[in-house]
């Protein structure tokens, strides 16, 4: 993107027309980024709490009451002293870092911070809240998480958006899809919610949540039995296709229909069209893997392009992510070798999805200090009530480094001001395309804001850590990241990135737009133990999972006994105009999202005497939330939906994650935001 700076102030932000993927436009929220950078509500100085935890100002204005401004020196000194004292009393594992997607810049996401926590001997964090089930599922087939590049979607004739809200969450792919459609391509959307993407599609399949494994296996049933598979590709490049062929016989369309809610005819039609309208492509996104069986769902769907051999075609294959191709040197950035060895083992790992448990249950050692950066767990983490109960513990010392006074800041002892990407330099990889990018610093930091790397550098100094790596500059760390054995990084130096802004990974060709299309698996190239695409996996078998694939309904779904008490499947969704909980507090964006709604089908509403606009109570064993009923056509019977927001901006001060659970997915120990049962009733004030 291009930022215009006049007299030190950013005055304009626009897409870069020279960028081959984003091609000159920004999404609705980033287009308003100037409002974010210059918002009067930013955290500008380090502060310490002078009022009880949880004292919240109802608005998103800077709460002056609970906070007293302090110097950076005092802030870092206080944190270091606390870390020293809890480590002395409880061991250094009583300190827990908590970070995720605030920035995906290579340095801000994971470099100096990891060095610091490794050296400190803090608990490790399993960063599983978003994508681990899917990443593990796709790697079980291919050994690496990468797929078709976005540019090739323009060449497809049949596009399946599978659990992928492209128009809402991935807008830069959309123009390529439009181009394909102008050339006659058909767009099919498989999503229980009628998203913006579904509303634009040629065919929307509102599948029952959590039943995609059955659909993928059912499609392969039709494809094999009608001889539409690519025998040659399967024989040359895959392992276990006979086992797969046998397995899918258990999934005839009639049976798949009962699970998925689709008609058997539609299962057959989808399979036939997918196998014959070529090239056909799948944009699989992460929605499908926020189910309890999300790893298996991703695995089963990921097999489809092998079965029809579409990896050979420009405009074929599948994209879940492109991140696996970068192979930057994370070890050099994160320095796991610094880990304190005095325990005789690695420090324990705590799963970020289970923060509520980690803070409340008896743990040895207990979590006594929490350092949150790049994340807003008091909004995004499942089982919100438990998270808040933990954050309220008077004996827990919490630091939050953020740009805004988020929900989590309301429970912090110390808040530190963070820069935005306007205010620091970064190296950026991607998960939706194959360009490596440099983002330059455009303006001076606002107030006393500091980038993540400077905060952890300062803390390392206060802790007396003497290793040289704590003195590395941003440029030095970028160079270290680029020093990697990955051949696709050949010729991609920091200097070149500074000069050109973005450079395509070096797959061959000349590295510029118009060079060779990237066909990752046209002739094999898998990174599995066998070197083949593993349609049968010994590793899965060893974990007690089906080595091919198998449909197991989520514990919280209409197919289980819990549904008697809580019969509605909840989709606790992201908003099209926010980024998880980021941007939700910006007044320019708020009007784009109607807040506090529970969407439900007319039948479910009528059965409960609920009319459009009524106040309703949605609840399960974990909690309850009051919302306003929106009775409309976005969900099918049996499904309700609501959107993620800051808790303190939702009436009642709680957000939709009061209903979601800490249950982990079948693979990757990921979150299961989309496997949640609830009941809904008219709200009757007592
Ligand atoms: N505008 C906007 N863009 C974003 C984000 C945002 O918050 N807002 N978040 C960013 C992040 S962190 C991520 S990970 C990506 C995620 O991008 P997506 O993977 O597209 O993420 P989701 O919106 O979680 O899920 C996609 C769709 O899956 C559907 N879905 C839910 N359960 C099922 C199911 O069982 N089967 C099927 N077939 N579909 C199901 C949901 O209704 C949803 O529309 O988006 C990124 N982009
Ligand atoms: N119910 C429900 N819950 C969900 C989801 C869902 O679909 N439904 N989606 C899940 C998914 S896919 C994801 S990825 C997670 C995301 O969870 P988080 O990674 O916690 O995402 P955000 O809510 O965007 O919060 C990021 C915070 O980092 C701050 N930040 C931004 N840049 C920087 C920086 O450079 N430094 C520092 N220190 N802070 C910075 C932002 O201001 C923001 O407050 O949420 C998950 N939670
Ligand atoms: Mo995510």
């Amino acid at each position: 993107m291009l930022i215009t700076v006049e007299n030190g102030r950013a005055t304009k932000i626009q897409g870069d027309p020279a960028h081959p993927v984003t091609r000159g436009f920004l999404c609705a929220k980033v287009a308003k980024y100037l409002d974010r950078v210059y918002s009067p509500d930013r955290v500008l100085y380090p502060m310490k709490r002078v009022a009880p935890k949880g004292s919240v100002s109802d608005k998103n204005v800077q709460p002056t009451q609970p906070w007293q401004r302090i110097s950076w020196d005092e802030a870092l000194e206080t944190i270091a002293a606390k870390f020293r004292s809890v480590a002395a009393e409880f061991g250094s594992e009583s300190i827990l870092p908590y970070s995720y997607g605030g920035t995906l810049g290579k340095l801000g996401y994971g470099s100096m911070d990891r060095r610091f926590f490794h050296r400190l001997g803090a608990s490790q964090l399993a960063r599983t809240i978003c994508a681990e089930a899917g990443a593990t599922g796709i790697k079980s087939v291919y050994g690496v998480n990468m797929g078709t590049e976005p540019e090739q979607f323009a060449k497809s004739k049949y596009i399946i958006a599978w659990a992928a809200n492209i128009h809402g969450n991935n807008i830069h792919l959309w123009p390529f899809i439009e181009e394909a459609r102008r050339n006659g391509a058909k767009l099919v959307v498989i999503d229980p919610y009628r998203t913006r993407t579904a509303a634009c599609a040629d065919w929307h399949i509102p599948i029952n949540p959590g039943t995609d494994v059955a659909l993928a296996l059912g499609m392969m049933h039709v494809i094999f039995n009608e001889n539409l598979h690519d025998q040659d590709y399967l024989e040359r490049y895959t392992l276990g296709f006979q086992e797969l062929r046998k397995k899918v016989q258990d999934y005839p369309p009639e049976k798949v229909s009962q699970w998925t809610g689709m008609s058997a005819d539609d299962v057959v039609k989808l399979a036939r069209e997918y196998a014959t309208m070529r090239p056909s492509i799948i944009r699989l996104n992460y929605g499908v893997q926020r189910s309890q069986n999300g790893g298996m769902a991703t695995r089963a769907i990921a097999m489809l392009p092998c079965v029809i051999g579409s990896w050979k075609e420009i405009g074929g294959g599948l994209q879940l992510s492109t991140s696996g191709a970068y192979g930057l040197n994370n070890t050099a950035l994160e320095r796991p070798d610094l880990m304190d060895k005095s325990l005789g083992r690695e420090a324990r790992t705590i799963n970020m999805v289970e923060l509520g448990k980690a803070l409340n249950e008896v743990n040895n050692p207990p979590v006594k200090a929490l350092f949150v950066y790049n994340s807003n767990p008091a909004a995004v983490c499942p089982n919100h009530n438990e998270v808040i109960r933990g954050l309220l513990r008077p004996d827990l010392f919490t630091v939050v480094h953020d740009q805004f006074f988020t929900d989590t800041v309301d429970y912090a002892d110390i808040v530190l001001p963070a820069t935005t990407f306007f205010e620091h330099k970064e190296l950026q990889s991607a998960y939706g395309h194959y360009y490596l990018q440099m983002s330059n610093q455009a303006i001076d930091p606002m107030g006393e804001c500091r980038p993540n790397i400077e905060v952890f550098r300062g803390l390392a100094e206060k802790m007396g850590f003497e290793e040289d790596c704590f003195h590395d500059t941003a440029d030095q760390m970028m160079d270290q990241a680029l020093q990697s054995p990955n051949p696709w990084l050949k010729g991609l130096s920091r200097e070149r990135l500074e000069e050109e802004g973005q450079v395509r990974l070096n797959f061959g060709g000349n590295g510029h737009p118009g060079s060779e299309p990237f066909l990752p698996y046209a002739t094999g190239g898998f990174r599995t133990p066998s070197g083949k695409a593993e349609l049968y996996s010994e590793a899965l078998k060893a974990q007690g999972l089906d080595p091919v694939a198998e449909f197991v309904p989520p514990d919280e779904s209409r197919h289980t006994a819990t549904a008697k008490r809580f019969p509605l499947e909840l989709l606790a969704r992201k908003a099209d105009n926010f980024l998880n909980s980021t941007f939700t507090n910006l007044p320019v964006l708020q009007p784009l999202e109607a807040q506090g709604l529970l969407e439900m089908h007319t039948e479910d509403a009528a059965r409960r005497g609920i009319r459009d606009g009524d106040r309703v109570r949605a609840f399960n064993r974990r909690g309850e939330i009051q919302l306003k009923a929106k009775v409309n056509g976005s969900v099918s019977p049996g499904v309700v939906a609501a959107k993620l927001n800051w808790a303190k901006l939702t009436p009642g001060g709680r957000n939709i994650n009061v209903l979601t659970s800490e249950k982990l997915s079948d693979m990757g120990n990921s979150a299961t935001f989309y496997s949640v049962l609830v009941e809904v009733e008219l709200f009757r004030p007592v």
Side-chain angles (χ1 to χ4, degrees):
M1 61 185 70
L2 303 175
I3 301 168
T4 308
V5 181
E6 292 170 290
N7 301 321
R9 196 178 162 91
T11 53
K12 190 177 171 194
I13 179 170
Q14 65 194 112
D16 180 355
H19 193 286
V21 179
T22 61
R23 300 196 294 188
F25 78 98
L26 300 174
C27 70
K29 49 203 180 310
V30 173
K32 300 292 181 208
Y33 214 86
L34 289 179
D35 288 70
R36 186 171 166 84
V37 173
Y38 294 112
S39 164
D41 301 329
R42 274 189 67 177
V43 183
L44 293 175
Y45 309 100
M47 287 190 250
K48 70 175 180 195
R49 172 171 296 285
V50 291
K53 287 188 194 187
S55 28
V56 182
S57 75
D58 237 358
K59 295 183 293 172
N60 61 345
V61 294
Q62 197 140 323
T64 42
Q65 270 306 319
W67 299 106
Q68 185 187 320
R69 183 175 163 182
I70 54 175
S71 68
W72 266 106
D73 193 63
E74 183 184 343
L76 296 177
E77 193 60 67
T78 309
I79 299 164
K82 192 72 192 184
F83 280 5
R84 263 188 233 109
S85 72
V86 298
E89 192 173 348
F90 301 96
S92 52
E93 285 175 309
S94 64
I95 303 164
L96 178 68
Y98 196 95
S99 74
Y100 199 67
T103 173
L104 300 183
K106 288 306 292 181
L107 305 189
Y109 180 79
S111 64
M112 203 59 94
D113 53 320
R114 310 297 167 100
R115 293 176 182 187
F116 175 78
F117 288 114
H118 286 147
R119 174 67 177 77
L120 184 64
S123 285
Q124 304 184 75
L125 185 73
R127 292 179 172 78
T128 51
I129 203 163
C130 172
E132 276 309 295
T136 310
I138 203 155
K139 284 189 211 158
S140 75
V141 182
Y142 298 110
V144 54
N145 190 3
M146 62 181 191
T148 311
E149 58 195 338
E151 296 92 321
Q152 285 182 43
F153 279 73
K155 303 277 185 263
S156 302
K157 285 284 179 259
Y158 197 77
I159 302 171
I160 302 181
W162 203 319
N165 180 12
I166 297 166
H167 207 292
N169 297 352
N170 179 202
I171 191 69
H172 288 105
L173 183 61
W174 190 253
F176 297 104
I177 292 177
E178 282 194 326
E179 192 180 329
R181 295 178 88 192
R182 278 198 298 275
N183 294 319
K186 182 166 177 179
L187 174 67
V188 184
V189 172
I190 305 176
D191 194 315
Y193 185 88
R194 190 174 158 81
T195 58
R196 294 204 309 224
T197 322
C200 304
D202 299 293
W203 184 14
H204 173 209
I205 300 171
I207 190 171
N208 290 338
T211 63
D212 303 78
V213 191
L215 176 56
L217 293 172
M219 286 171 73
M220 292 189 267
H221 174 107
V222 176
I223 292 168
F224 277 121
N225 293 1
E226 297 191 2
N227 214 17
L228 299 172
H229 61 285
D230 185 334
Q231 183 78 18
D232 180 62
Y233 189 90
L234 286 165
E235 276 175 9
R236 274 176 206 255
Y237 302 121
T238 71
L239 179 87
F241 87 88
Q242 295 299 355
E243 284 90 341
L244 175 64
R245 193 180 178 136
K246 185 152 166 272
K247 185 68 166 189
V248 300
Q249 299 314 317
D250 299 342
Y251 294 85
E254 301 69 37
K255 205 163 142 194
V256 170
S257 156
Q258 285 162 18
W259 295 117
T260 58
M262 298 167 68
S263 72
D265 284 349
D266 278 351
V267 176
V268 175
K269 180 176 149 194
L270 180 66
R272 285 185 187 152
E273 288 185 356
Y274 171 66
T276 58
M277 294 175 69
R278 308 290 284 260
S280 59
I281 195 164
I282 299 173
R283 174 50 163 141
L284 173 60
N285 215 331
Y286 284 99
V288 83
Q289 54 94 65
R290 296 188 221 293
S291 265
Q292 199 184 340
N293 60 22
M296 204 48 100
T298 308
R299 174 174 167 79
I301 296 165
M303 291 174 178
L304 282 161
C306 289
V307 173
I308 66 161
S310 68
W311 287 117
K312 297 185 300 199
E313 297 159 26
I314 296 173
L318 172 149
Q319 185 194 91
L320 173 64
S321 173
T322 59
S323 60
Y326 286 88
L328 290 158
N329 193 342
N330 291 329
T331 311
L333 284 178
E334 301 178 1
R335 296 291 305 272
D337 59 296
L338 294 173
M339 216 178 292
D340 176 23
K341 303 283 180 340
S342 60
L343 293 168
R345 55 167 172 84
E346 276 198 1
R348 70 172 169 194
T349 298
I350 288 177
N351 189 326
M352 70 185 300
V353 169
E354 298 177 314
L355 181 63
K357 262 191 200 163
L359 295 181
N360 295 309
E361 287 185 359
V362 180
N363 277 307
N364 187 18
V367 175
K368 287 293 204 177
L370 180 69
F371 194 118
V372 179
Y373 58 106
N374 287 345
S375 187
N376 182 15
V380 303
C381 200
N383 206 354
H384 178 83
N385 287 333
E386 280 300 286
V387 173
I388 299 305
R389 187 159 77 89
L391 290 174
L392 277 169
R393 265 175 42 202
D395 65 321
L396 177 73
F397 174 73
T398 301
V399 181
V400 179
H401 182 221
D402 204 303
Q403 300 150 348
F404 286 90
F405 290 86
T406 62
D407 288 327
T408 313
V409 171
D410 292 338
Y411 305 90
D413 294 280
I414 302 267
V415 56
L416 303 173
T419 45
T420 65
F421 72 86
F422 277 40
E423 300 151 72
H424 56 244
K425 186 177 176 185
E426 261 288 10
L427 177 65
Q428 313 274 359
S429 61
Y431 63 101
H433 63 65
Y434 287 113
Y435 289 80
L436 190 64
Q437 322 193 116
M438 182 68 73
S439 57
N440 291 313
Q441 181 176 342
I443 57 169
D444 287 339
M446 303 293 291
E448 292 183 3
C449 293
R450 289 190 186 173
N452 298 2
I453 59 169
E454 298 309 330
V455 174
F456 290 102
R457 189 198 307 289
L459 269 179
E461 192 191 321
K462 289 282 184 216
M463 293 299 294
F465 297 164
E466 286 174 345
E467 289 78 359
D468 284 348
C469 67
F470 292 111
H471 301 292
D472 287 346
T473 62
D475 280 355
Q476 282 170 327
M477 288 195 283
M478 291 185 202
D479 291 340
Q480 292 159 8
L482 290 164
Q483 249 162 47
S484 139
N486 180 9
W488 293 338
L489 289 173
K490 198 164 160 253
L492 277 78
S493 64
R494 175 170 54 80
E495 291 77 9
R496 181 163 170 213
L497 289 164
E498 281 165 353
E499 176 93 11
E500 296 177 35
Q502 71 276 334
V503 182
R504 189 173 187 248
L505 292 181
N506 195 351
F507 301 122
N510 62 11
H512 285 285
S515 61
E516 297 287 284
F518 177 50
L519 297 174
Y521 309 125
T523 54
F526 309 107
R527 301 192 201 163
T528 50
S530 64
K532 304 234 168 166
E534 297 195 347
L535 311 178
Y536 179 98
S537 160
E538 285 296 343
L540 288 185
K541 194 174 169 196
Q543 292 164 42
L545 293 165
D546 192 290
V548 180
E550 181 183 34
F551 171 60
V552 183
D555 293 347
E556 293 198 26
S557 72
R558 67 184 71 195
H559 312 288
T560 60
T562 317
K564 290 203 178 79
R565 178 97 199 276
F566 302 106
L568 298 168
E569 292 170 328
L570 169 71
L571 300 173
R573 300 166 45 77
K574 304 173 198 328
D576 286 347
N577 297 290
F578 304 147
L579 180 73
N580 300 308
S581 84
T582 302
F583 295 102
T584 60
N585 61 321
L586 270 201
V588 282
L589 292 175
Q590 282 165 341
L592 302 182
E593 288 290 340
Q595 298 297 335
L597 299 181
L598 184 80
E599 298 182 63
M600 56 196 309
H601 191 270
T602 325
E603 276 176 24
D604 292 320
R607 192 168 303 143
R608 292 164 177 80
I610 294 167
R611 282 162 315 174
D612 194 60
D614 282 345
R615 280 217 78 70
V616 294
R617 192 178 151 253
F619 60 99
N620 58 21
R621 290 195 187 94
R622 292 174 291 270
E624 67 167 79
I625 184 170
Q626 287 162 35
L627 297 161
K628 201 165 82 175
K630 184 175 178 210
V631 181
N632 73 356
S634 291
V635 286
S636 303
V639 179
V640 294
K643 283 178 195 160
L644 187 60
N645 196 355
W646 274 11
K648 63 180 157 187
L649 297 180
T650 313
R654 290 280 184 266
N655 82 3
I656 195 64
N657 276 325
V658 297
L659 301 176
T660 58
S661 93
E662 288 167 72
K663 180 156 278 166
L664 302 178
S665 57
D666 55 350
M667 297 181 202
N669 296 319
S670 245
T672 53
F673 290 112
Y674 298 160
S675 293
V676 174
L677 284 174
V678 301
E679 177 55 294
V680 177
E681 61 180 28
L682 257 181
F683 176 66
R684 294 188 187 82
V686 266

